[in-house]
Amino acid sequence: LRHREVLILSILAGHALLDCENGLKPALHIVLLGHWTGPNGAPLPNALRAKAQLPQQPAARCSCTCGAAETHEREHTDTKTDPTSISFLEWCRTNPFKIGVGVATVKTLAADLLTQTALEGKTWSDIDWRRSTVFTLFGFGYFGCAQYYLYVNLFSRWFAGAARFVDQPLRAKLVDFAGQRAAAKQILFDLLVHPQWVFPMYYTLKVAVNNLDAFMESPRTVASYAVGKYWKNNFDTTNEEGLLTDWIAFWKIWVVGDIVVFCFCPMWARLPVNHIFSFMYVCVLSFMRGSSEEGEN
């Protein structure tokens, strides 16, 4: 018989034994297929060896010297998984926490540097690097780690229908009153509850970085002074800037930002879009409260 006919008969015979005992099947597969070679002594193809439960033949390196050699080499190695071939986007998808913390840290530092150079007119030699350190730490610790936990973990538990609502078309959202209530709750939480710990944390970090020795000696004293400074800037009726100055600046950015994020962004896009509005807000915060005021040092 010709080689092709022998191969076909061998495959049919092997498949006929699929219901046999496990000890018999591999042996007969080897008898029928293991020693078959094609024209010019070519080895049994790996696809058939897999069916016959035989060891795979290593891919032969293409020895041709024509222009197709490179193509043949790619065909031989396509089935191998190279860890370095994983794309950056795939890495981001599988490591959302790492990319979120990294973007938040770089974004917050960049916003402060932009404020100091573009808005305040400083040269690079005049940059207040201690102030930039405050924003870098705040970007990593709060905008990166804490805010990721808040928006991704806690919000998904507290507002379970959020994903369903944002995935709907606009016409469906207009009649989904339960989804509208859930979105409104998220917006109100972010505008009225969230800032209650954001501002004290920022003020405390700022005073602590500017007074490391005092903070190491008495953290409670530094925190008490920082919270008092925050209270004076926002709730003291004698303050020349008026009441709720930090809150009003916060609302000017985040009323629109929260409506966009919580009503129109799918879940996977929430943090990226949030970072855009956060960049603008950090510029405002840096301009208003970035520099050290008299009495803070």
Side-chain angles (χ1 to χ4, degrees), residues 162-163 165-167 173 257 259-274 277:
F165 179 73
V166 295
D167 288 337
K173 289 176 181 170
I259 292 174
V260 172
V261 168
F262 295 123
C263 294
F264 300 102
C265 288
M267 299 302 291
W268 63 267
R270 279 195 170 186
L271 285 180
V273 175
N274 182 279
F277 288 97

Side-chain angles (χ1 to χ4, degrees), residues 17-58:
L17 297 171
L18 288 178
D19 294 330
C20 294
E21 294 181 359
N22 291 333
L24 179 62
K25 178 179 64 174
L28 289 178
H29 271 248
I30 292 173
V31 170
L32 293 169
L33 296 175
H35 299 288
W36 180 86
T37 57
N40 301 323
L44 184 68
N46 281 335
L48 296 177
R49 286 182 171 274
K51 283 182 174 295
Q53 300 181 3
L54 298 175
Q56 298 289 300
Q57 289 284 350

Side-chain angles (χ1 to χ4, degrees), residues 51-71:
K51 283 182 174 295
Q53 300 181 3
L54 298 175
Q56 298 289 300
Q57 289 284 350
R61 184 178 179 86
C62 181
S63 59
C64 61
T65 57
C66 63
E70 192 173 322
T71 302

Side-chain angles (χ1 to χ4, degrees), residues 81-92 94-95:
T81 302
D82 183 3
T84 60
S85 65
I86 299 176
S87 66
F88 177 71
L89 291 178
E90 178 65 17
W91 184 87
C92 293
T94 56
N95 298 273

Side-chain angles (χ1 to χ4, degrees), residues 191 250-262 264 277:
L191 295 177
F250 182 89
W251 291 333
K252 287 180 179 179
I253 300 293
W254 285 110
V255 167
V256 175
D258 284 343
I259 292 174
V260 172
V261 168
F262 295 123
F264 300 102
F277 288 97

Side-chain angles (χ1 to χ4, degrees), residues 108-119:
T108 310
L109 172 61
D112 174 65
L113 293 176
L114 178 66
T115 301
Q116 293 195 54
T117 54
L119 299 181

Side-chain angles (χ1 to χ4, degrees), residues 107 142-143 146-152 154-155 158-159 181-199 230 246-263 270-271 273-278 281:
K107 167 210 70 181
Y142 187 76
F143 288 127
Q147 199 161 264
Y148 181 92
Y149 181 75
L150 174 67
Y151 286 136
V152 175
L154 296 183
F155 268 41
W158 297 341
F159 312 104
R181 286 193 295 270
K185 291 177 182 178
Q186 294 175 80
I187 294 171
L188 291 175
F189 181 94
D190 205 49
L191 295 177
L192 300 178
V193 179
H194 193 187
Q196 293 183 30
W197 61 75
V198 174
F199 294 130
Y230 159 68
D246 290 330
W247 288 70
I248 292 173
F250 182 89
W251 291 333
K252 287 180 179 179
I253 300 293
W254 285 110
V255 167
V256 175
D258 284 343
I259 292 174
V260 172
V261 168
F262 295 123
C263 294
R270 279 195 170 186
L271 285 180
V273 175
N274 182 279
H275 285 314
I276 296 174
F277 288 97
S278 180
Y281 173 68

